[in-house]
Each structure stands twice: as structure tokens, then as C-alpha cells.
Amino acid sequence: MSSIPSLQLNDGHHIPQFGLGTWKTPNEEAPQLIRSALEMGYRHIDTAAAYNNEEGVGQGIAESGIDRSELFVTTKLWNERQGFDETLKAFDESLSKLKLDYVDLYLIHWPCPKAGKFLDTWKAFLRLREEGRVRSVGVSNFRQEDLEQIILETGVTPVVNQIEVHPLLQQNDLREVNRQKNILTEAWSPLAQGGELLKHPLFQELAKKHGKTPAQVILRWHVELGSIIFPKSTNPERIRENADIFDFSLDSDDMQKIAALDEGKRLGPDPAEFC
Ligand code: NAD
């Protein structure tokens, strides 16, 4: 596996630009899967309380024998646990399931703007960071106004905003907002959850041109945009294939052709409406 670049976060810590996503990975399969991905060279794992696999992920990490300092582990606070006190409790549960002393990155999974609790939740995140149990704090699915509210009220800018991005939903405006605020974009569902997009003639053509697979071309497109990605797979062949994207690049012609595919098509919920 070619070596994975590391990006600097706005708090000085570093994050591998590429990792393994675990949404829908069953808890029972997670230990074996995590062990084999770590053996292949993966060092960054993205999970969440809502994925119900933190225990399996933690077991895989423990069994891998890899030094904790070499790993980057992200988990997320689920929506119904928002609020200052509840966040602290939910974090204790996540950390104990993961069997870790700290997580590298803790994210507010969704802003849930109608519930009006993300600011208090963010303040609890800052407490956890002060205590050293969370290295870096970030958010997911935040809109510009949500980002501005927490930054204005606390003076602390999230290190990342994890948002839905793939060729059918390129999020140019929100990625630019993130960039201007020195927030790195993490692209969730980077492959648009597999399926039809991988069969698109453009990705077939670019795959042939670069001697890569359509999935590798799409993942490389995210890397060219400077985003952090963690495609999900439970298939060892694909896990290996997805990581093998750091030995080629797309040219400006390729990038322009992919830019033309943007349809503003969401696969997930609209953050303004959800929860
Ligand atoms: P994805 O875009 O990574 O697609 C995963 C699917 O694509 C797999 O189930 C498989 O069917 C297919 N696939 C993977 N590699 C392939 C390959 N090489 N060739 C062909 N098909 C392949 O979708 P995702 O899992 O939704 O997103 C990635 C990660 O992002 C998640 O696992 C999770 O960690 C995170 N995520 C976060 C949020 C959020 O709200 N913050 C939401 C969704 C996902």
C-alpha cells in the first residue's frame, strides 16, 4: 500500500487523509475487519455511537497490537444524547466500549438545529478536550450558520466538518466555507455508497486512462480536492483497492469532467430538517 498523506488540523494535530469507514459494519464482524485493515496499513478509523460497533472496533484495535499513538480513531455523539451533561455521559460510554483512554477526534454527528442543543453540546466537547480524553473536536453535517454560531459563542473552530460529498453532490459552497474557516472537509459516502455511480461511463473511461478502477478514480478525486475520506467496505480486496490511490493523480481535464457531474443530489437527510 502506497503511503497515506497526513494533514495538519487547525489545533496542530495531524490526521491521515485516508481511513476506513464503518457505517453498517456489524459489531461481530468489526474485530476481524479492523485487524485486517490495520495489517494492510490503515491507521485511521471512523465510527460512531450510532453505528453500534464501537465495541467491535475497539476489540479489533486492541487485538491488532499496533501502538495506540500510531492510530487515529474518530467517534461521534448521537443526536438524542446532545446537551452538556448528556454529552459527557454518552462520551464515557463510547470510550469504554472502544476500550481506549482517549479518542483522536470526537464529532457532533448532526446539528439538529430544531432541537437547539448543539452549542451546549459543543461546550461539553471543549471540556472533554481540556480533560485530554478527546484530542481534537469537530462537527458533522453542520451548515455555515451552525459553524458560525459555535465559533462566535466559544471562539473554538471545529477541526473538521464531516459532510456528504461525492461526484453527484460536490458541495462546492460548503467546502469553500470550511476552507475559509480553516476547517478540513471530511467527505462521507465518498463513493455515493457504491452502485450506479461506479458504472458511470466517465469513471469507466478515467479508470482505463489511469490503469485504476472506477472506485479508485472517485476516491482520488476527493484527494485532489483536499478532502479526508474513509470509504466503507467489508471486503478485503476492496479495502486494499480503496487504499491504493496515492501513486497516481488526475489532471485538470479529468477534474473538469467530474465537476460537470454535480447534480446536488443528496443520499442522506438534509441537515436543516433532520432531527
Ligand atoms: P461509501 O461511499 O464509502 O460506499 C460504501 C459502499 O460502496 C460499500 O458498502 C460497497 O458496497 C461499495 N464499495 C466500497 N468500495 C468499493 C470498491 N472498491 N468497488 C466497488 N464498490 C465499493 O459509503 P458510506 O459507508 O456511507 O460512507 C463512508 C463512511 O462515511 C461511513 O462508513 C461512515 O464512517 C461515514 N459516514 C458518515 C455519515 C455522517 O453523517 N457523518 C453518514 C454516512 C457515512
Side-chain angles (χ1 to χ4, degrees):
M1 199 166 105
S2 34
S3 82
I4 294 171
S6 187
L7 303 180
Q8 188 165 28
L9 299 166
N10 67 27
D11 63 3
H13 291 297
H14 287 82
I15 183 168
Q17 192 177 4
F18 178 89
L20 183 71
T22 65
W23 183 35
K24 297 186 185 159
T25 297
N27 194 46
E28 321 76 72
E29 286 179 30
Q32 156 68 22
L33 182 76
I34 297 295
R35 277 199 318 271
S36 82
L38 293 177
E39 257 164 44
M40 282 180 213
Y42 278 67
R43 289 294 178 268
H44 171 181
I45 297 158
D46 183 89
T47 183
Y51 301 168
N52 290 317
N53 59 19
E54 286 170 313
E55 267 177 317
V57 166
Q59 191 183 327
I61 290 172
E63 289 170 356
S64 76
I66 292 176
D67 197 83
R68 173 70 183 93
S69 63
E70 286 186 36
L71 301 178
F72 193 100
V73 181
T74 299
T75 195
K76 316 186 191 82
L77 175 90
W78 188 237
N79 305 334
E80 63 212 28
R81 309 301 297 274
Q82 283 204 28
F84 192 88
D85 292 339
E86 202 52 29
T87 294
L88 299 179
K89 277 192 228 155
F91 177 74
D92 285 347
E93 292 167 23
S94 281
L95 200 61
S96 116
K97 285 183 182 163
L98 285 162
K99 293 174 275 298
L100 298 175
D101 300 329
Y102 67 91
V103 295
D104 296 274
L105 178 58
Y106 198 34
L107 304 180
I108 303 180
H109 208 144
W110 290 86
C112 306
K114 289 185 211 153
K117 290 185 182 172
F118 66 71
L119 178 57
D120 282 345
T121 304
W122 187 241
K123 288 178 182 166
F125 271 45
L126 302 186
R127 164 82 67 87
L128 292 167
R129 191 179 67 166
E130 262 166 43
E131 292 171 354
R133 293 192 299 155
V134 167
R135 288 274 159 95
S136 296
V137 286
V139 296
S140 178
N141 300 302
F142 270 44
R143 303 163 302 164
Q144 180 172 359
E145 58 263 54
D146 308 328
L147 293 171
E148 284 169 355
Q149 192 181 339
I150 57 171
I151 296 168
L152 186 73
E153 298 277 350
T154 66
V156 179
T157 302
V159 296
V160 302
N161 187 13
Q162 183 177 126
I163 57 175
E164 181 181 346
V165 185
H166 42 71
L168 303 177
L169 179 72
Q170 302 191 11
Q171 300 257 39
N172 293 332
D173 293 349
L174 189 50
R175 285 191 298 104
E176 180 58 18
V177 166
N178 288 343
R179 197 189 63 76
Q180 282 182 5
K181 296 186 191 300
N182 202 13
I183 297 170
L184 294 181
T185 296
E186 293 194 328
W188 66 252
S189 295
L191 295 170
Q193 296 171 13
E196 286 310 302
L197 185 65
L198 298 170
K199 297 186 195 130
H200 191 288
L202 176 60
F203 294 114
Q204 301 285 338
E205 174 200 320
L206 295 178
K208 206 174 280 173
K209 171 174 167 183
H210 292 284
K212 290 283 176 181
T213 66
Q216 288 171 325
V217 170
I218 296 172
L219 295 172
R220 183 67 208 186
W221 170 77
H222 289 280
V223 169
E224 304 289 355
L225 295 178
S227 299
I228 299 160
I229 43 170
F230 24 83
K232 182 249 173 179
S233 178
T234 48
N235 170 332
E237 291 305 309
R238 286 177 171 176
I239 291 179
R240 194 179 297 280
E241 171 189 332
N242 291 346
D244 190 15
I245 55 170
F246 295 101
D247 60 352
F248 80 112
S249 46
L250 300 178
D251 60 33
S252 58
D253 186 48
D254 303 335
M255 293 300 282
Q256 273 175 25
K257 285 181 178 159
I258 301 174
L261 298 184
D262 193 6
E263 296 175 4
K265 182 180 168 189
R266 279 186 196 282
L267 302 172
D270 182 343
E273 301 301 327
F274 190 52
C275 55

